[in-house]
Amino acid sequence: MKVLALDTATTDLVTGIVDTDTGESIDRVISGTRAHNEQLIPTIEELLADASLTYADLSAIVVGTGPGPFTGLRVGMATASALGVALNLPVHGVCTLDAIAHGRAGEWLVAIDARRKEVYWATFADGERRSGPNVSKPETLDLSAAGLASPESTRLVFPESIALRLPESIADLPREWATPRAAGLVACADLSAEPEPLVPLYLRRPDAVEPQAKPRSAALVGGIEETPAS
C-alpha cells in the first residue's frame, strides 16, 4: 500500500510516501521553514507528481502529533484529517519523537526545539520509548532519572542551536541532529488497526489565550445603570 506521511511539529516541513509492500519511500522535506500552512498542500502535490501518483493511489495517511507548537501541529493534523475525510482514508497519528528514534540501536535522548528556551524530549532504548515526552530547559536534563540503563553511553539527537546549554554531565555525549522522515512515521503506525482519534501533544498551554471577562460594575443592574435618587 502507498501511505502518505506528514509532520509539522518542527521547523522542517516533512512529507513523504512509503510503499509498505516494497519498503521504498520518497521524501520531500523543506528545512527551516515557518510557512507550513502555505507550503504543505503544494508540497504534497509535488511529492505525488514526483512519484507518478495521484491522491487516488493512497491507502492511508500518517501524521506526526508532536510534541510541538500549537500552530504547527494544527496545520499538519488538520490537513491530514481533511484529506482523510475527502479521500475516505484512515488517518493514524504517531509521536514525532518516536518517529525520529525509530531504527536507532542503543539508548538515545531525542529532543527538538520547543522555543521559550526549552526542548521537547523523550528517551529510547532500541527505538522503544522509555520516558517522556516531556518539556523542560536543556540545563535540567538528567539521564540518570530518565529510565535508561546506561546513561553514560547514551547518544543524543539534539538541536545544535541550543546544544551549548546542555548540562556538563551530558554535554560531551555523542550528538547529532535529525527531524522525522516518512519511513519512521509510517513504521510507528499500526496500519492494520482502527485509527484512534488524533490527539496533539502540546505539553503546555498555547501562547494565545482567551481574554478574561471584565468584571461588571456593581452599579449596573440588568444592563441599566442606576442613577442615584436626588
Side-chain angles (χ1 to χ4, degrees), residues 2-168:
K2 306 293 193 304
V3 182
L4 174 66
L6 315 173
D7 190 279
T8 55
T10 71
T11 55
D12 284 3
L13 173 60
V14 177
T15 63
I17 295 173
V18 176
D19 187 329
T20 59
D21 297 323
T22 65
E24 295 180 354
S25 64
I26 300 174
D27 289 271
R28 194 172 186 90
V29 178
I30 301 177
S31 300
T33 180
R34 302 283 185 178
H36 295 87
N37 191 40
E38 296 84 354
Q39 294 178 310
L40 182 52
I41 288 295
T43 303
I44 292 172
E45 294 183 344
E46 291 172 3
L47 174 70
L48 289 168
D50 288 346
S52 300
L53 299 173
T54 68
Y55 285 112
D57 295 309
L58 300 175
S59 298
I61 300 171
V62 175
V63 61
T65 58
F70 178 82
T71 301
L73 290 185
R74 183 177 58 185
V75 169
M77 295 175 70
T79 299
S81 296
L83 288 174
V85 171
L87 302 171
N88 193 28
L89 296 177
V91 180
H92 300 266
V94 300
C95 174
T96 297
L97 298 176
D98 290 358
I100 299 173
H102 176 73
R104 295 179 182 273
E107 295 188 326
W108 291 80
L109 180 142
V110 177
I112 57 178
D113 193 349
R115 304 174 195 172
R116 303 187 197 172
K117 299 182 179 180
E118 294 178 326
V119 289
Y120 298 118
W121 63 275
T123 58
F124 298 84
D126 295 329
E128 295 293 325
R129 197 185 325 153
R130 290 291 182 261
S131 66
N134 299 297
V135 59
S136 62
K137 294 184 181 300
E139 294 89 343
T140 66
L141 292 173
D142 182 4
L143 294 185
S144 62
L148 297 176
S150 304
E152 68 282 353
S153 61
T154 297
R155 286 169 285 178
L156 312 180
V157 174
F158 203 87
E160 283 300 321
S161 59
I162 51 178
L164 290 176
R165 296 176 49 217
L166 284 166
E168 184 177 347

